[in-house]
Amino acid sequence: MRTNRLKDYFTIHEAAELSRFSKYMLDYLVRDEIFLPEIVRTQPNFGVRRLYSYGDVVLLRALRSICDQGKIRHLKDALLKFRLANGPICPGARLDQYLAVENNELCVYTPDEGAMELRSGQFTFGFVVDLKEVSAHIADAVVVDA
């Protein structure tokens, strides 16, 4: 059983390490208002300090994986709609959604509803095949002679 308490927020350096984005890329995402962290504190004589929540880091890590695969159009709008629809991501929460890219648009996939383009809210027509399940069915059906 886990007894350590998870941090409430992460500094930009910690968020960069956990998300696999560079600190400079995180600054760019904030400066262009593509990804805004949930926690912003103003400190006298030091300006604004951005702190990243657990949910911010989870979403950034997912985005990093997606961005490694190619370009995403309208990312700012899609992220805003995702965050408004789903609220904060908390440690230990059961997540039954997948983020995916279809035609350079960020989509969310749920087993019950299928894939939906985040920016427009339109459902997309795509096929998802669980290769583990298909492989198990084939393996059960195949008899190998000794």
Side-chain angles (χ1 to χ4, degrees):
M1 184 170 159
R2 186 179 181 159
T3 58
N4 295 343
R5 186 173 169 271
L6 194 65
K7 293 178 72 166
D8 292 330
Y9 60 85
F10 300 91
T11 65
I12 190 168
H13 300 288
E14 294 168 325
E17 183 178 336
L18 292 168
S19 70
R20 297 183 181 159
F21 276 118
S22 70
K23 174 180 154 306
Y24 304 104
M25 184 61 172
L26 293 179
D27 282 337
Y28 163 76
L29 292 172
V30 170
R31 189 173 53 251
D32 283 7
E33 296 181 352
I34 296 169
F35 186 94
L36 300 173
E38 289 181 18
I39 306 166
V40 178
R41 293 189 181 151
T42 304
Q43 296 179 318
N45 302 325
F46 291 107
V48 175
R49 183 173 186 206
R50 293 185 302 264
L51 301 171
Y52 293 82
S53 70
Y54 173 84
D56 288 338
V57 174
V58 169
L59 197 50
L60 282 168
R61 180 71 171 264
L63 287 176
R64 177 60 196 203
S65 297
I66 289 172
C67 288
D68 285 344
Q69 306 304 315
K71 184 178 178 182
I72 304 170
R73 294 183 313 197
H74 311 290
L75 181 60
K76 178 181 176 179
D77 294 337
L79 285 174
L80 178 62
K81 290 191 178 184
F82 177 82
R83 289 177 121 179
L84 288 173
N86 295 290
I89 299 172
C90 301
R94 179 176 156 76
L95 301 174
D96 63 348
Q97 297 172 322
Y98 302 92
L99 288 178
V101 177
E102 189 167 319
N103 297 325
N104 293 339
E105 293 281 347
L106 189 62
C107 300
V108 64
Y109 174 84
T110 60
D112 296 337
E113 297 178 355
M116 180 183 68
E117 189 179 288
L118 284 166
R119 189 174 60 88
S120 69
Q122 291 184 337
F123 285 98
T124 62
F125 186 70
F127 294 98
V128 177
V129 177
D130 184 355
L131 293 177
K132 180 180 175 183
E133 187 177 313
V134 172
S135 177
H137 286 292
I138 299 297
D140 289 343
V142 175
V143 176
V144 179
D145 292 335

